[in-house]
Amino acid sequence: MDRPGYASCKADCPHFAKAELLADYLQINLPNFKIHKITQHSDKWEQWLHDICEKNGWKHKRSPIVWRELLDRGGKGLLLGGFNDFMEHAQHYYGITSDMLSEQMLRIAKENLQTHIEIEKEEEYIKSLINPLQVWISSASSPACYNLIPLLANGEVFGMATEVSIHLLDSSHYKDILHGIVMEAEDLAFPLLRSVSMHTELDNAFVQADIVILLDDILLQHKIPSLEDCIRQVTEQCKVYGSLIEKNANSRVKVIVSGKTFVNLRALMIMTFAPSIDGQNIIAVAMFLENAAKAMLARKLNMNSAGVKDVIVWGNISGNSYIDLSKAKVYRYDSAIWGPPNFSRRLLDMIYDGNWVHSEFAFVLSSLSSREHHCLGMSPAHVIATVLRYWYQDSPPGEIVSMGILSEGQFCIPEGIIFSMPVRFQDGSWEVITETEISEETQEALKHLAHDLIQEKQVALGEIPEMRPYKESAFNGFDLLALLEEENFQTPPEDLVTSSGGPNYKKGEIFYTSTELLIHLASLKVKFSGYQGKVRHNHINRTLSILTENPFHHLYFGSLTDEQIVDGICKPHHNTMTNS
């Protein structure tokens, strides 16, 4: 045989293993026999086989496929057939066959698949050295982007052998700011920063993108009639971005959604309007809230926040979330018991003030969204860089990372919503830590949180006209602002007021000072957050701000339960609430 032969197969095809051994024997022992072997991953085999057969006018449906290139006739291929055809050809022309056992065939097929995967990884690595990683950042005029660029370009995120090209996307109103950022980034002279470019036209957004980072660029109108209108406006923006990512980005693009505005919903809508992108590659960043919780816990314990691990953020990252400390641990904590660096202790065992967790801790975390609005972008940038580093280089072994992902029913969470839950990063992907045990209290909280996210999704897709509160029969909405703006408070009963003006408590009667009400409202906000929407969330923060700036002596609630207080806040019972 003085013309080259070709054999192609699925990488894990056992029949190819036997044909390959016979072809190698013929090539070694026959001076003019040449064989070229082509392996394809199982996922790509069907399409590759269809293309090669269509090109040459063949009909073949199984692995392997063997053909001869007739070079002296213009290079047209002559199909020999499959495994049996090749064995008969070798037997007829050369009097040689193979007696490989089935067990050997399967073992070699497994080795072939592993080799093929390793070769593919090596080829991708070599390509990355030639073609830089294309990173697109939306809302690039924001402080978070300014702080993020050096972190992406210094080699710590993607590795010291991977160059990056960064594309800055924003409105033409911020053209001057983008130009300044580009010039500063070029002045840094990072060896791995191939280029930095600015873009203000949406038509060419996300072209050949390997990574898309969507910062908080949903520009909401100053006056939004309702929460539902806000959701619809966000959905329209995501429809534009999702369609562009679907059209222009690489098929394996990784999309990271960050910010403080509808983070879960935005990730879900990008997934909806970019259906060909693998859902595994679209995530919502929850680490900002996770790190803030760790920092606050560390301040309480007077230790470094890096020593606080495994704090879990459940639910809606930029809305109603549940901070789970049941698995949290502390390392290198200065106490009576001391151990090596890997020695840890349960965090809740170190915090003896349980009321602090349910009051001040909950209150500060509930106001994080407004705090992030005023931050300088250092923390969000660090969080995004950390998530990307974990994605490309794995998260620390045994450590829990909170991340918003598409639910598939884990932890009894309804399918089809983006929900923050515990994950780990490994081998370029992530997986949910499904072995995490949760309490009945946590499970009930997850039902509240899932309800809100389902409602957001239904409003966004036009399935329902407005949000409905969780357990609507019990709760009727939330308008804390109405309580403090109400001027016609009645005075408390005379027999409850002492000569000094302070309260004289009766059994079952409730008074609050300004400070006490701040703490109590924050705890109620966490307790009954399941039905709370974005606009109402802002009302609560404003209310607490008003309380801080305009303190009063005492507020009288009579003998109301927490549930009745919440209902009273929604529809004030003037006969029981008094500004003293």
Side-chain angles (χ1 to χ4, degrees):
M1 181 178 180
D2 54 0
R3 304 179 183 94
Y6 290 80
S8 183
C9 69
K10 293 191 294 184
D12 58 350
C13 175
H15 295 295
F16 181 74
K18 191 170 184 178
E20 179 186 29
L21 184 66
L22 178 59
D24 287 342
Y25 177 83
L26 293 174
Q27 186 167 236
I28 292 171
N29 291 278
L30 299 175
N32 295 322
F33 187 96
K34 303 294 180 184
I35 186 76
H36 299 277
K37 292 172 280 189
I38 304 171
T39 58
Q40 296 289 338
H41 197 278
S42 301
D43 297 338
K44 302 177 181 178
W45 166 254
E46 295 293 340
Q47 185 61 47
W48 184 91
L49 180 63
H50 174 270
D51 293 343
I52 194 72
C53 288
E54 186 176 47
K55 176 183 177 182
N56 290 280
W58 299 336
K59 291 184 178 180
H60 191 80
K61 296 183 178 180
R62 295 182 179 180
S63 174
I65 179 173
V66 184
W67 73 95
R68 297 169 65 187
E69 290 287 335
L70 305 182
L71 299 178
D72 57 347
R73 300 182 188 177
K76 181 177 174 59
L78 175 64
L79 178 66
L80 292 181
F83 169 72
N84 291 329
D85 299 305
F86 176 66
M87 299 299 288
E88 290 177 5
H89 178 84
Q91 177 72 28
H92 179 72
Y93 279 93
Y94 308 111
I96 299 173
T97 187
S98 174
D99 57 356
M100 181 184 291
L101 300 176
S102 298
E103 184 179 344
Q104 290 177 290
M105 292 168 59
L106 293 172
R107 180 174 56 79
I108 294 176
K110 186 177 180 180
E111 292 175 355
N112 284 343
L113 176 61
Q114 185 61 35
T115 301
H116 178 76
I117 293 173
E118 291 175 359
I119 291 173
E120 276 193 332
K121 287 183 177 180
E122 185 177 354
E123 289 176 349
E124 287 182 4
Y125 173 73
I126 293 173
K127 284 181 181 178
S128 72
L129 299 180
I130 302 171
N131 301 317
L133 208 61
Q134 305 293 328
V135 181
W136 283 76
I137 306 174
S138 73
S139 191
S141 62
S142 68
C145 176
Y146 183 83
N147 287 276
L148 180 59
I149 291 175
L151 301 178
L152 298 179
N154 65 14
E156 292 183 6
V157 173
F158 306 112
M160 299 305 297
T162 303
E163 291 188 345
V164 295
S165 287
I166 297 177
H167 305 265
L168 308 179
L169 176 66
D170 213 325
S171 166
S172 57
H173 296 296
Y174 303 104
K175 195 171 183 178
D176 291 341
I177 296 176
L178 295 181
H179 183 67
I181 294 174
V182 169
M183 292 184 66
E184 280 202 50
E186 291 173 344
D187 291 344
L188 293 174
F190 279 117
L192 297 176
L193 184 58
R194 177 77 66 90
S195 64
V196 184
S197 58
M198 52 182 282
H199 305 266
T200 57
E201 299 294 331
L202 278 178
D203 290 342
N204 296 321
F206 312 125
V207 171
Q208 297 298 313
D210 297 303
I211 296 170
V212 171
I213 300 170
L214 298 179
L215 299 179
D216 201 8
D217 54 352
I218 305 300
L219 301 177
L220 302 175
Q221 301 170 1
H222 292 293
K223 294 183 180 179
I224 302 171
S226 67
L227 170 66
E228 290 75 17
D229 290 334
C230 186
I231 290 174
R232 295 183 188 103
Q233 186 176 342
V234 169
T235 302
E236 286 302 312
Q237 181 67 59
C238 291
K239 184 176 182 179
V240 174
Y241 278 179
S243 301
L244 288 169
I245 291 172
E246 173 82 5
K247 175 185 174 183
N248 297 336
N250 287 335
S251 59
R252 296 184 180 181
V253 63
K254 290 178 169 64
V255 181
I256 293 180
V257 182
S258 181
K260 70 181 187 69
T261 309
F262 294 101
V263 177
N264 297 54
L265 179 65
R266 287 162 55 210
L268 182 62
M269 291 299 101
I270 293 295
M271 202 174 291
T272 301
F273 296 114
S276 70
I277 305 302
D278 187 354
Q280 186 91 359
N281 284 356
I282 301 176
I283 64 172
V285 176
M287 195 177 287
F288 177 85
L289 187 56
E290 178 186 329
N291 284 358
K294 290 177 179 178
M296 191 173 179
L297 292 164
R299 285 193 292 270
K300 179 68 174 177
L301 294 172
N302 194 26
M303 62 176 292
N304 192 319
S305 59
V308 181
K309 307 288 185 183
D310 299 344
V311 173
I312 303 175
V313 177
W314 297 94
N316 193 346
I317 298 162
S318 54
N320 302 320
S321 56
Y322 181 81
I323 308 298
D324 186 358
L325 303 180
S326 62
K327 305 294 184 296
K329 298 189 288 287
V330 292
Y331 293 80
R332 299 181 297 279
Y333 178 57
D334 190 6
S335 65
I337 301 176
W338 190 255
N342 61 349
F343 173 74
S344 66
R345 303 184 69 182
R346 188 169 177 266
L347 181 140
L348 290 177
D349 292 341
M350 302 296 102
I351 297 180
Y352 302 105
D353 186 0
N355 291 331
W356 176 85
V357 174
H358 296 290
S359 56
E360 184 180 345
F361 178 69
F363 167 62
V364 172
L365 290 180
S366 69
S367 62
L368 275 180
S369 60
S370 59
R371 190 188 90 183
E372 185 181 357
H373 180 72
H374 301 290
C375 76
L376 299 177
M378 186 164 54
S379 181
H382 169 73
V383 161
I384 293 169
T386 301
V387 170
L388 278 170
R389 176 163 55 84
Y390 286 175
W391 210 341
Y392 278 83
Q393 303 185 48
D394 298 350
S395 56
E399 190 170 318
I400 295 176
V401 179
S402 299
M403 190 174 71
I405 61 165
L406 185 66
S407 171
E408 297 179 349
Q410 304 95 332
F411 308 105
C412 298
I413 299 167
E415 298 181 12
I417 57 175
I418 299 292
F419 201 93
S420 180
M421 60 182 76
V423 304
R424 67 170 67 91
F425 287 87
Q426 192 171 3
D427 298 330
S429 184
W430 54 262
E431 62 178 357
V432 179
I433 308 177
T434 53
E435 61 269 24
T436 303
E437 297 180 359
I438 58 177
S439 64
E440 292 183 5
E441 178 187 355
T442 301
Q443 190 67 67
E444 181 62 25
L446 300 191
K447 290 180 184 178
H448 281 70
L449 302 175
H451 173 85
D452 276 2
L453 291 169
I454 291 171
Q455 295 261 301
E456 283 187 359
K457 174 184 175 181
Q458 290 174 330
V459 171
L461 298 178
E463 297 174 0
I464 59 174
E466 61 183 10
M467 300 274 286
R468 301 187 187 93
Y470 185 75
K471 296 182 179 178
E472 189 167 10
S473 60
F475 310 139
N476 301 305
F478 212 99
D479 192 2
L480 277 170
L481 200 58
L483 169 65
L484 296 180
E485 290 176 349
E486 180 62 51
E487 297 179 355
N488 298 320
F489 288 120
Q490 298 179 5
T491 57
E494 292 181 1
D495 60 340
L496 295 180
V497 181
T498 65
S499 59
S500 62
N504 182 15
Y505 289 90
K506 277 189 175 182
K507 184 176 182 181
E509 303 288 23
I510 303 174
F511 274 93
Y512 287 114
T513 64
S514 233
T515 303
E516 289 169 341
L517 185 60
L518 274 171
I519 295 174
H520 190 65
L521 288 181
S523 66
L524 283 184
K525 178 182 169 186
V526 175
K527 181 176 180 181
F528 301 112
S529 61
Y531 60 89
Q532 183 184 313
K534 297 290 183 303
V535 174
R536 298 183 184 104
H537 188 281
N538 290 334
H539 285 176
I540 293 169
N541 287 336
R542 281 192 292 147
T543 300
L544 296 173
S545 176
I546 291 171
L547 272 174
T548 303
E549 296 173 3
N550 302 281
F552 51 81
H553 290 102
H554 299 94
L555 190 64
Y556 172 62
F557 283 95
S559 57
L560 297 178
T561 64
D562 282 350
E563 287 80 0
Q564 290 170 328
I565 289 174
V566 173
D567 290 339
I569 289 171
C570 301
K571 297 179 179 178
H573 300 276
H574 301 303
N575 60 328
T576 57
M577 291 190 298
T578 312
N579 188 353
S580 58

